[in-house]
């Protein structure tokens, strides 16, 4: 699980860095904010789940359903946030040659 947390942290960091290299306004700005919101929220949920799992390792079986449901919701948030990211690239050209860097 540690490796997955590292990857999530790297993706959030690189996304925040990339945000400063593009210029967006209007509807694209709102989509960018939604994308950022979903990805950061899911990252925080996975960090909390990781801490929870470290604390309750031996007693995890009785919380398995709750853990699974929260994990499924967080994965859904990642996919929904990724949808916003794809929309930024494919509909608004953010981060492509169509969208000039700032």
């Amino acid at each position: 699980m540690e490796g997955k947390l590292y990857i999530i942290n790297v993706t959030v960091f690189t996304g925040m860095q990339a945000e400063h290299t593009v210029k967006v306004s209007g509807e694209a700005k709102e989509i960018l904010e939604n994308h950022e919101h979903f990805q950061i929220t899911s990252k925080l949920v996975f960090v909390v789940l990781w801490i929870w799992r470290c604390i309750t390792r031996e007693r995890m079986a009785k919380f398995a359903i709750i853990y699974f449901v929260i994990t499924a919701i967080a994965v859904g948030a990642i996919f929904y946030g990724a949808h916003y990211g794809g929309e930024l690239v494919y509909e608004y050209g953010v981060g492509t040659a169509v969208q000039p860097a700032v």
Side-chain angles (χ1 to χ4, degrees):
M1 185 81 166
E2 268 184 47
K4 292 177 185 175
L5 284 177
Y6 175 74
I7 290 170
I8 292 170
N9 288 328
V10 169
T11 57
V12 169
F13 175 76
T14 56
M16 293 178 126
Q17 295 299 312
E19 180 181 14
H20 299 293
T21 65
V22 295
K23 186 175 184 178
V24 293
S25 60
E27 191 176 329
K29 178 73 171 168
E30 184 179 329
I31 293 170
L32 178 66
E33 294 299 321
N34 288 336
H35 171 69
E36 180 179 16
H37 170 76
F38 275 100
Q39 302 308 71
I40 290 175
T41 301
S42 61
K43 175 204 178 213
L44 293 174
V45 170
F46 278 115
V47 168
V48 169
L49 286 170
W50 176 72
I51 292 168
W52 180 19
R53 189 173 184 149
C54 288
I55 292 171
T56 63
R57 186 166 296 272
E58 289 81 29
R59 302 178 312 270
M60 195 66 199
K62 61 180 155 180
F63 299 112
I65 295 294
I66 296 168
Y67 187 87
F68 175 76
V69 169
I70 294 171
T71 301
I73 291 169
V75 168
I78 287 176
F79 279 112
Y80 203 64
H83 166 74
Y84 281 128
E87 196 172 343
L88 285 169
V89 172
Y90 293 106
E91 289 189 28
Y92 295 96
V94 174
T96 67
V98 176
Q99 174 74 32
V102 175

